[in-house]
């Protein structure tokens, strides 16, 4: 009879418990003994912060497996509160210490080490004398924290360390109503993320009332007479807290291996091969205590994650049972919840790639998680890193929805050794509520391919400080409205739709650096310019990525001045997130704002309050709707508007500044921007006129004449793309409170023609002109890429899919906003167009009328 083997497993939780259960399923006859120095063999340590915050209310749900259940179902000898204190690999023996202090020797045929890790304790003066300092690694730790907060009620907490546990615990302490400060020694929280991605999560923390002390370290702790602990930072800042969480990382709990002959790394990690074998015969190791091979770099690494630990436990069981399973390395796929935001990453980030000397490319994009016309979506930010040969090296994503599945898809491509071309070819599930026909993963692949094939050259936000104005031009290709709200210092505005007609303004001897809001219009501009002989580069991720890099968290205890450093002429207001001591139910999801230091509740209007839902609309749609609704309200009334266009946050601030309306409150929550606007003067121009009138009436000299605040457009071209551009600009200017006149002449008149005109008396030549010209806006051709009529249909289809208003809708919106549409009488006479053939609501005038309007305007454009 074959002797049954004895397998001893040191440690439970993810790796050890998985090894035990798998081995029993493979070998019914093996004697399996599990040693666990704690009282629980398998619990959900990733769920510990959420019990503290109240999301997981039943503590029992954190127990994944109990000793009794393991014994009954798997026939495993589970010995809790039994600690392995020494290993004798020569004799195949483990020394075990029991709860009462007694010890015994346990022999083994195979030994699995799953001791896990323990919290690091940095050298801080006074740390060991403070009773309110805790770590969070076990259920026992969690229970101690909960008990401390119940017995010592406090309003202030400090979390030392900005890793996953630190951030998750900070969020959950905040959910309990505490004022929380995270102290992080590095420049950013969450090391798996590059800086421009990490700041998005830092912004969410600050918006939710969690203070951040970055590039800071704790030098001293002392207990004050009030019972709180005073935490002193390296810059002298003092923080007071009733509870302190140490989340400064972990180190392997492998001290008991001293003298065993098992090879460990410099930090104590157990070194294993591809089958999780240690340097000692018949000894294996799994979980947080091991050092394995990184899937991408090929170098040894230690990544303490639950997923790899479970897989390693399963592989060890296979190997002990005689199967030839191998562990193919770790790539570090992880995810974190930060209030309403989600951040996820896989593979290597740019910082790690640079440290390893691995050359790479990167692209940034900000796609919607589902079809743009389907309500409820808010753009995510996605970064993809890849080699010159196309192999995917890593990815990071931050957003309110759809982040997890995109990173999981890219993680799968990395695991299979795939390339960016594989991303473009993936056929992923699509329906409007869940994705778009071109999924964000596909789009990332397309953008990467464009770089590798030479279709575009990109630069990144960290290249901007290196830019030499003597050899480069920085061109903002967004609309004048967007440029006027905010831009990158030193940029010149040439909208992409005007670029072909304004090439003479560019210096061909210089490299042209273009940018737009998210990168798409910048790519279009780069293609236009590259094919005309310019050396051009496009900003990856556009202004939105640049804006993120400008974020600097306020120091603990300070009030944030939420101004835009890139726009010194823009509006400057202060938005403070008020810390709350409310209960979890009251506090969860609440954001309380103040503008210019005045509580929102005290500045709200006393008249009508109306609501406007502008979610799903692209710029300038939300502004147009705000303008139309405000015009119908009486002075002092309040409009509460919701929008999901990310640019609306800056747009509405600038619009209120220009028009004299009061921005009472603005906040971001779960991807939705909510603004409360109290109606004041109708426009900035009207405000100036009132000021002049008041000055004159008082006998004082007027400071200045009313400004030329209007805008005029000469629309000469009759192309669909230029018609759309002209009406977008006109709507944007009108929404900003400017009086707008559009003067249509020659071919531009075609967009004003009725599609089915009445019968009018015409000469033969006039009739011939009518036959040759497009009849109305729906018949307009494109200026280029007409493609026998297919081009205009494609443009309209794309606009519809992106929820962008059609030309006809833009024309109606312009008329509703009071844009004056003037048809040139002389051009009508030349081309044989009668007034009856033109759409309703327009004016017929001459050059003199136009010049009179232009004289009152500060902006005059020829299209």
């Amino acid at each position: 009879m074959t002797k049954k083997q004895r397998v001893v497993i040191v440690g439970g939780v993810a790796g050890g418990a998985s090894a035990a259960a798998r081995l029993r399923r493979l070998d019914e006859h093996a004697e399996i003994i599990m040693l666990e120095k704690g009282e629980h063999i398998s619990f959900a340590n990733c769920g510990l912060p959420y019990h503290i915050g109240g999301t997981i209310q039943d503590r029992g749900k954190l127990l994944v497996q109990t000793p009794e259940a393991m014994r009954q179902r798997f026939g495993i000898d589970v010995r809790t509160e039994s600690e392995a204190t020494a290993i004798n690999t020569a004799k195949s023996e483990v020394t075990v210490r029991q709860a009462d202090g007694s010890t015994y020797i346990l022999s083994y045929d195979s030994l699995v080490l799953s001791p896990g890790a323990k919290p690091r304790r940095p050298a801080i003066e006074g740390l060991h004398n403070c009773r309110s300092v805790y770590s969070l690694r076990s259920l026992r730790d969690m229970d101690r924290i909960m008990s401390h907060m119940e017995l010592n009620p406090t309003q202030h907490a400090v979390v030392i360390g900005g890793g996953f546990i630190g951030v998750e615990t900070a969020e959950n302490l905040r959910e309990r109503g505490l004022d929380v400060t995270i102290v992080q020694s590095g420049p950013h929280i969450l090391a798996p993320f590059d800086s421009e991605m990490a700041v998005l999560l830092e912004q969410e923390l600050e918006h939710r009332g969690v203070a951040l002390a970055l590039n800071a370290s704790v030098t001293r702790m002392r207990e004050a007479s009030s019972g709180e602990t005073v935490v002193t930072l390296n810059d002298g800042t003092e923080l007071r807290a009733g509870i302190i969480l140490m989340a400064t990382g972990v180190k392997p709990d492998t001290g008991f291996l001293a003298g065993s002959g098992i090879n460990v790394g410099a930090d104590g990690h157990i070194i294993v091969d591809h089958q999780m074998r240690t340097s000692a015969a018949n000894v294996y190791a799994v979980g947080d205590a091991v050092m394995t091979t990184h899937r991408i770099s090929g170098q040894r690494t230690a990544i303490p994650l639950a997923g790899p630990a479970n897989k390693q436990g399963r592989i060890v069981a296979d190997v002990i049972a005689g199967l030839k399973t191998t562990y193919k390395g770790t790539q570090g796929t992880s995810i974190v919840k930060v209030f309403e935001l989600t951040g996820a990453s896989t593979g290597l980030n740019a910082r790690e790639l640079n440290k390893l000397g691995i050359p790479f490319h990167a692209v940034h994009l900000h796609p919607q998680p589902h079809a743009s016309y389907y309500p409820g979506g808010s753009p995510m930010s996605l970064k993809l890193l890849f080699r010159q040969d196309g192999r995917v090296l890593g990815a990071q994503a931050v957003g309110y929805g759809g982040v997890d599945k995109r990173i999981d898809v890219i993680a799968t491509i990395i695991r299979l050794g795939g390339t960016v071309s594989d991303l473009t070819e993936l056929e992923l599930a699509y329906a409007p509520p869940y994705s778009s026909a071109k999924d964000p993963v596909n789009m990332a692949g397309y953008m990467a391919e464009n770089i590798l094939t030479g279709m575009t050259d990109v630069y990144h936000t960290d290249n901007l400080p290196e830019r030499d104005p003597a050899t480069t031009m920085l061109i903002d290709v967004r609309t004048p409205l967007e440029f006027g709200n905010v831009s990158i210092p030193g940029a010149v505005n040439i909208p992409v739709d005007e670029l072909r007609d304004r090439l003479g303004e560019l210096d061909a001897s210089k490299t042209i650096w273009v940018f737009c809001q998210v990168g798409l219009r910048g790519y279009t501009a780069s293609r236009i310019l590259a094919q005309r002989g310019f050396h051009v580069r496009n900003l990856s991720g556009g202004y939105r990525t640049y804006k993120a890099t400008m974020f600097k968290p306020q120091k603990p205890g300070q009030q944030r001045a939420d101004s835009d450093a890139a726009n010194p002429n823009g509006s400057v207001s202060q938005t403070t997130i008020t810390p709350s001591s409310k209960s979890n139910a009251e506090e969860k999801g609440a954001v309380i704002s103040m503008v210019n230091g005045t509580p929102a509740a005290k500045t709200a209007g006393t008249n009508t309050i109306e609501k406007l839902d502008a979610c799903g609309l692209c710029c300038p749609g939300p502004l147009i709707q705000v303008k139309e609704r405000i015009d119908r309200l009486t002075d002092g009334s309040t409009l509460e508007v919701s929008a999901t266009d990310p640019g609306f946050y800056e747009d509405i601030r600038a619009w209120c500044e220009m028009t004299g309306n009061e921005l009472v409150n603005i906040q971001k929550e779960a991807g939705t921007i909510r603004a409360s606007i109290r109606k004041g003067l109708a426009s900035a121009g009207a405000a100036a006129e009132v000021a002049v009138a008041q000055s004159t009436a008082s006998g004082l000299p007027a400071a200045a004449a009313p400004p030329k605040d209007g805008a005029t457009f000469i629309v000469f071209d009759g192309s669909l793309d230029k018609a759309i551009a002209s009406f977008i600009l006109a709507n944007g200017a009108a929404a900003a409170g400017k009086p707008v006149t559009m003067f249509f002449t020659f071919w531009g008149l075609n967009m004003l023609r009725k599609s089915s005109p009445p019968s009018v008396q015409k000469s033969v030549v006039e009739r011939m002109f009518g036959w040759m010209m497009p009849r109305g806006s729906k018949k307009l051709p494109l200026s280029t890429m007409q493609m026998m009529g297919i081009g205009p249909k494609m443009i309209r289809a794309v606009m519809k899919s992106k929820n962008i208003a059609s030309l006809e809708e833009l024309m109606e919106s312009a008329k509703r906003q009071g844009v004056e549409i003037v048809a040139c009488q002389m051009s009508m006479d030349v081309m044989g167009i009668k007034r009856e053939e033109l759409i309703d609501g327009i004016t017929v005038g001459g050059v003199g009328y136009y010049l009179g309007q232009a004289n009152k305007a500060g902006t005059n454009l020829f299209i």
Side-chain angles (χ1 to χ4, degrees), residues 133-201:
V133 180
Y134 295 90
S135 297
L136 183 59
R137 284 288 296 175
S138 66
L139 282 168
R140 184 173 295 175
D141 293 337
M142 182 191 71
D143 292 339
R144 289 170 177 165
I145 292 171
M146 299 284 285
S147 175
H148 177 93
M149 289 191 293
E150 290 173 6
L151 297 175
N152 306 277
T154 182
Q155 187 58 36
H156 305 286
V158 169
V159 176
I160 304 174
F164 289 103
I165 290 295
V167 169
E168 290 169 348
T169 307
E171 173 189 343
N172 282 280
L173 289 172
R174 180 69 183 137
E175 294 284 17
R176 289 179 65 98
L178 276 67
D179 299 337
V180 184
T181 299
I182 296 177
V183 179
Q184 168 67 6
S185 59
H188 295 289
I189 62 171
L190 298 169
F193 295 88
D194 287 319
S195 60
E196 73 274 24
M197 306 298 288
V199 294
L200 302 174
L201 300 167

Side-chain angles (χ1 to χ4, degrees), residues 616-682:
L617 294 178
C618 296
C619 177
L623 277 184
I624 292 171
Q625 291 211 1
V626 168
K627 168 71 164 54
E628 292 177 348
R629 189 67 64 86
I630 284 286
D631 284 346
R632 297 201 296 265
L633 297 179
T634 58
D635 283 355
S637 297
T638 300
L639 178 66
E640 295 178 351
V641 57
S642 300
T644 50
D645 175 31
F648 184 70
Y649 188 81
E650 297 294 343
D651 288 348
I652 194 61
R653 293 158 64 95
W655 182 85
C656 288
E657 183 78 10
M658 286 189 294
T659 58
N661 294 293
E662 181 185 1
L663 182 60
V664 176
N665 180 308
I666 186 167
Q667 62 187 47
K668 298 177 184 177
E669 185 177 355
T672 299
I673 299 160
R674 293 183 172 84
S676 180
I677 305 158
R678 187 170 66 177
K679 180 172 181 177
L681 295 171

